[in-house]
Structure formats: structure tokens, C-alpha cells
Amino acid sequence: MTKIALVTGGNKGIGFETVKQLAQQNIKVLLGARNETEGKKAEETLRAESLDVTFIKLDISNSDDIENTKNLIENQFGKLDILINNAAVFLDNAWFGNNTETVPLKTLRDTFDINYFGTVELTQSLLPAIRKSEAGRIVNISSLSGSFGVHLDETHWLYPLKPYAYSASKTALNQFTVFLANALADTKIKVNAVSPGWVKTSIGSDQAPLTPEDGAKSGVALALLDENGPTGTFSQDGETLPW
């Protein structure tokens, strides 16, 4: 039976490449995007490469969109094998420096609304469909910026970069990963967090050394884990990262 995957924020960057790489593995991929024009354009591009990709309108901060997505998956497919929570925003004024004293509460709330609350709501909504998979996989696209270990290591290259809203939202996402993996420990579902690395995207900037194709590989690998693969981990390119 064909595997069914959903990738949020799939219209560009890491999300688009994740959709593409999963579809190249003969997986039916639902490309979630909040912008209908961009989502349909991404769908057309990938379908032109004979890949089985379908756009669905999904703004993860919109409960109606989440409910519609849940109903579509349950009615059309009856299950969901892979969920990749990729959609995210970066609303801090800059990467460099520490804005903890000055970041507006609206920036914090708007960041968490997508990067954390929307991701949790979507995942909870889709868990019944994921439970119907023979081997459900949930991959949360996190960031090194969410790592306490990295931000306590003065020798790490990321140490000076402390955008509080974005970093805190990814730290919260990491804890969601650990707790959800624990809650599902007696099932065949595996839940992992991954850092794609510093990637050339709207969040990572053009100065980043990695391409979106590079950045997608870690998440795709976790989505395709066999039954012996890990759960409740945080990694990049197969290397364990500090929480």
C-alpha cells in the first residue's frame, strides 16, 4: 500500500525539497501551504517531474484548516504514515545578538502561534490517522537555536546568535518531541526532532552554506526510519545534538 505523507510549509525552501525527496521514494505527498497560489505552483512544478504531489491549503495557525486537513486525510486515505512539521516563521528583528530584554510580546506570541501551538494542534489532530499507519513517523523540523547545550557553549559558532522568540519556540518544540515520543513509546510511531543546519532559505538567508536540498535530507531520513530506528532524538545528518 502506498505511503501517505504530509509536509507543512511545503511550497518553498526545505519544505519543498522535503516534499520532492519523499515523492521520489514513491510516496504520495500532501504539500501543505497557507498561500494557495504558491502552493499550487509548487504542486505543478513537482507534478511536471511525474511526482505524486497534491497541494492542500493548510495554515497551521488556523484551526479550520487543521480540521479540513484531518477530514481530507481520513476520508481519502484512512491513514497518515508520515507527518513532517516544517512550517515555521522567524519574526525576531535579527539573528545576531540577544534580544531577550526587548523582544515585543506580540513577536513572541506570533512566533509561538506557528512554530509551537499550530504544530502541536495539527499533530494532535492527526494522531488518530497516524495510529492507523503500520509504522507512523513524525518529524519536527527544529533548529540548533533551540538547543540549551549550544547556547551554553561559548565556543560554539551559534553562541552569539540569540533571537529569543524563534529560539524559545524551537526549544518548546524539542520538548514536545521528547514528551510525545514518551507518550507513544508503546506504539510503532517514532517521533524525532531534526536540525536541518544553516540553510539558504528566507529564514537562513543567502549567506548560509547549505542548500535546501541539503537541509531536507536529515528530515527525510528520519521519515523513512525502519522499525529499529530511534525515537525521541534530536539530530542533524545522523549526529546527535545537545538538547
Side-chain angles (χ1 to χ4, degrees):
M1 185 180 292
T2 303
K3 284 187 175 182
I4 310 299
L6 168 63
V7 179
T8 65
N11 58 293
K12 62 181 181 179
I14 296 168
F16 178 84
E17 287 297 333
T18 299
V19 171
K20 182 177 181 179
Q21 290 176 29
L22 287 174
Q24 288 172 337
Q25 298 294 319
N26 296 316
I27 294 170
K28 166 72 179 180
V29 186
L30 303 176
L31 185 161
R34 58 182 173 178
N35 185 303
E36 192 167 348
T37 300
E38 292 183 7
K40 287 183 175 179
K41 181 179 178 182
E43 175 194 62
E44 291 172 4
T45 299
L46 294 172
R47 280 184 173 270
E49 297 183 28
S50 300
L51 297 174
D52 191 0
V53 173
T54 299
F55 160 72
I56 59 171
K57 182 183 179 302
L58 177 56
D59 178 348
I60 64 170
S61 66
N62 185 314
S63 294
D64 289 339
D65 279 8
I66 289 175
E67 182 68 17
N68 291 338
T69 298
K70 172 188 175 182
N71 292 336
L72 181 149
I73 290 171
E74 290 180 348
N75 294 334
Q76 292 194 19
F77 308 107
K79 60 151 188 174
L80 181 65
D81 300 289
I82 296 167
L83 171 61
I84 298 193
N85 288 312
N86 168 75
V89 293
F90 181 92
L91 303 178
D92 295 89
N93 57 359
W95 268 100
F96 196 81
N98 186 335
N99 66 340
T100 309
E101 296 171 280
T102 58
V103 61
L105 286 180
K106 186 179 189 308
T107 298
L108 272 170
R109 291 191 176 103
D110 290 349
T111 300
F112 268 75
D113 200 30
I114 298 287
N115 297 4
Y116 180 68
F117 291 115
T119 297
V120 172
E121 182 180 356
L122 177 69
T123 303
Q124 289 178 337
S125 178
L126 296 179
L127 270 174
I130 298 172
R131 286 180 179 276
K132 294 176 183 177
S133 170
E134 293 182 1
R137 302 289 181 262
I138 300 171
V139 182
N140 294 324
I141 306 302
S142 185
S143 169
L144 262 182
S145 193
S147 165
F148 282 125
V150 165
H151 284 296
L152 291 170
D153 180 1
E154 296 183 15
T155 67
H156 197 283
W157 67 268
L158 192 137
Y159 182 79
L161 282 62
K162 289 181 166 50
Y164 184 65
Y166 182 78
S167 301
S169 71
K170 292 300 187 177
T171 301
L173 181 64
N174 282 355
Q175 185 169 64
F176 177 58
T177 302
V178 172
F179 279 33
L180 185 59
N182 178 270
L184 298 173
D186 294 332
T187 74
K188 294 182 179 180
I189 301 172
K190 297 184 183 297
V191 188
N192 291 287
V194 65
S195 171
W198 187 12
V199 181
K200 288 183 175 68
T201 63
S202 57
I203 291 178
S205 82
D206 291 336
Q207 297 179 358
L210 300 178
T211 65
E213 182 180 3
D214 295 328
K217 290 178 180 177
S218 294
V220 170
L222 288 173
L224 301 177
L225 284 176
D226 62 25
E227 61 183 7
N228 298 314
T231 189
T233 68
F234 182 31
S235 65
Q236 179 182 337
D237 295 329
E239 298 294 324
T240 299
L241 298 174
W243 292 109

